[in-house]
């Protein structure tokens, strides 16, 4: 399996599972796929985070806000792997409850990954809503 195939398999399995779990109110799988090393950052659709402490607070907040995920699909538009770094660009199609209110939305999401001890970890996320 090539680096690109290995990375794509991880994106469509572990990473997808982590995002679906978060939208069901469980932030732990997302924490598991994120780096524990600095620097880490999120420029989020609703909230930003710089550094481990802010990231922990953000994931806790999101876990408390989301529940009852009906669907989560990541429409991958572009990705690449260069050595121990990789990125993805795509659209996240989500139907979940946010603070108890059913919502469906699409986010444009760009993520950067670093291979650490042989495993892919997210180190940066930028997401915003798709304008209509």
């Amino acid at each position: 399996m090539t680096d690109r195939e290995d990375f794509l398999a991880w994106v469509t399995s572990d990473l997808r599972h982590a995002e679906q779990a978060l939208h069901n109110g469980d932030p732990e799988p997302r924490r598991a796929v994120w780096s524990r090393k600095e620097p880490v950052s999120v420029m989020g659709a609703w909230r930003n985070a710089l550094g481990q402490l802010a990231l922990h607070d953000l994931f806790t907040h999101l876990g408390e806000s989301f529940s009852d995920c009906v669907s989560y699909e990541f429409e991958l538009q572009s990705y690449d792997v260069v050595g121990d770094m990789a990125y993805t660009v795509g659209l996240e199609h989500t139907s979940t409850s946010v603070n108890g209110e059913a919502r469906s939305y699409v986010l444009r999401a760009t993520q950067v990954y670093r291979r650490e001890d042989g495993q892919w970890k997210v180190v940066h996320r930028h997401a915003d809503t798709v304008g209509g």
Side-chain angles (χ1 to χ4, degrees):
M1 186 175 280
T2 68
D3 275 352
R4 282 176 55 90
E5 291 168 336
D6 180 55
F7 175 71
L8 187 57
W10 177 80
V11 166
T12 59
S13 61
D14 293 356
L15 185 61
R16 183 183 186 289
H17 167 75
E19 290 304 305
Q20 193 166 24
L22 178 70
H23 288 93
N24 269 314
D26 182 4
E28 295 313 312
R30 187 188 247 197
R31 282 191 178 105
V33 299
W34 272 75
S35 177
R36 299 277 195 253
K37 300 177 184 177
E38 297 291 351
V40 290
S41 54
V42 172
M43 302 301 285
W46 293 307
R47 192 168 152 185
N48 300 329
L50 299 173
Q52 291 293 330
L53 181 58
L55 199 68
H56 177 79
D57 291 346
L58 172 61
F59 293 168
T60 299
H61 170 75
L62 293 174
E64 292 169 349
S65 299
F66 292 131
S67 63
D68 304 316
C69 183
V70 175
S71 67
Y72 170 85
E73 295 300 326
F74 182 57
E75 180 185 340
L76 183 64
Q77 296 181 327
S78 179
Y79 78 101
D80 202 2
V81 175
V82 179
D84 287 336
M85 299 292 293
Y87 76 90
T88 56
V89 175
L91 299 173
E92 296 177 340
H93 302 267
T94 308
S95 292
T96 192
S97 290
V98 180
N99 297 319
E101 182 180 323
R103 300 241 339 247
S104 292
Y105 52 88
V106 178
L107 298 180
R108 292 182 290 210
T110 301
Q111 295 196 153
V112 178
Y113 310 86
R114 181 170 54 223
R115 192 172 6 218
E116 298 175 354
D117 301 321
Q119 296 184 355
W120 287 108
K121 298 292 182 177
V122 185
V123 296
H124 174 74
R125 172 179 172 81
H126 178 261
D128 61 7
T129 55
V130 174

